[in-house]
Amino acid sequence: MSRKPVYLAVYDTFADWETGHATAWLARVGYEIRTVALTTAPVTSIGGLRVQPDLALGELRPEDGPAGSLLILPGADLWDTSEDLAPFARTARAFLAAGVPVGAICGATAGLAREGLLDDRAHTSGAAMYLAATGYKGGERYVETDAVTDGDLITAGPTEPVAFAREIFGRLGDVFEGEKLDAWYRLFHDSDPAAYETLNS
């Protein structure tokens, strides 16, 4: 099956552990993972991983044609210390308007809050007061849970990379079928040995 690519945003200080479960399993089932940064200059994750982006953010124009299957925005120190990453939040708006799912975890949720994308959607993050500090208007839609999907938007806090991946898989719908998605989550989140048999049956 031919699948549109998944775009993984990368920028200096991005939290490399937050998206690994999602991108690894998406790649395993045939999605092309393409990294996108503000420019094509290398960036360095918070864990010291140096990444050469595949394309610059300006090349992503969902309104001009196929936008891909998904845009993933990891957390990063820069979400909270500057406006440098605001263009990624604006790109998320364009993707959502085009009907393409967006996943945001950790600090990226604050970026979306500042962009107004959480005002009218159920969402979560690291803590309600973290998002409240952005001055956004969506506090009543905040959900105290590990990860939330509202239509095409997926959000999660920094301690929930497995739940974040589960919601992404569930939204795309072609990664695991039926009970295997639940088994995948139980295996990697709960270390449930019985889930291994279900996942590999």
Side-chain angles (χ1 to χ4, degrees):
M1 182 191 308
S2 176
R3 294 181 169 97
K4 296 176 184 177
V6 167
Y7 294 105
L8 172 66
V10 293
Y11 17 74
D12 285 331
T13 74
F14 79 91
D16 37 38
W17 69 90
E18 292 176 344
T19 60
H21 284 283
T23 55
W25 287 88
L26 290 172
R28 289 187 75 170
V29 300
Y31 282 95
E32 177 190 8
I33 308 300
R34 303 201 69 198
T35 52
V36 57
L38 289 172
T39 72
T40 55
V43 300
T44 303
S45 76
I46 200 169
L49 299 180
R50 189 172 172 83
V51 177
Q52 177 68 58
D54 294 312
L55 69 164
L57 187 62
E59 298 175 62
L60 280 187
R61 299 180 58 84
E63 66 273 19
D64 290 344
S69 298
L70 173 73
L71 172 64
I72 302 177
L73 303 175
D77 291 345
L78 288 178
W79 283 112
D80 298 319
T81 59
S82 74
E83 292 296 314
D84 291 356
L85 302 186
F88 286 96
R90 293 193 289 271
T91 299
R93 177 181 293 280
F95 268 65
L96 291 169
V100 181
V102 173
I105 185 169
C106 187
T109 62
L112 298 193
R114 293 185 192 98
E115 183 65 18
L117 295 175
L118 305 186
D119 289 352
D120 301 311
R121 294 176 172 92
H123 60 276
T124 193
S125 183
M129 60 182 172
Y130 170 63
L131 291 187
T134 68
Y136 84 131
K137 301 175 182 178
E140 293 184 356
R141 305 300 302 276
Y142 188 90
V143 183
E144 291 283 359
T145 191
D146 52 8
V148 172
T149 298
D150 187 334
D152 288 326
L153 181 64
I154 300 158
T155 53
T159 61
E160 298 297 341
V162 179
F164 185 55
R166 176 197 63 202
E167 295 301 303
I168 287 172
F169 302 157
R171 175 61 187 81
L172 293 180
D174 59 357
V175 181
F176 294 109
E177 296 181 1
E179 65 180 2
K180 289 198 174 184
L181 178 57
D182 176 66
W184 180 89
Y185 180 75
R186 288 188 291 111
L187 178 61
F188 286 96
H189 188 268
D190 303 328
S191 300
D192 179 358
Y196 181 83
E197 294 183 13
T198 302
L199 189 60
N200 291 280
S201 61

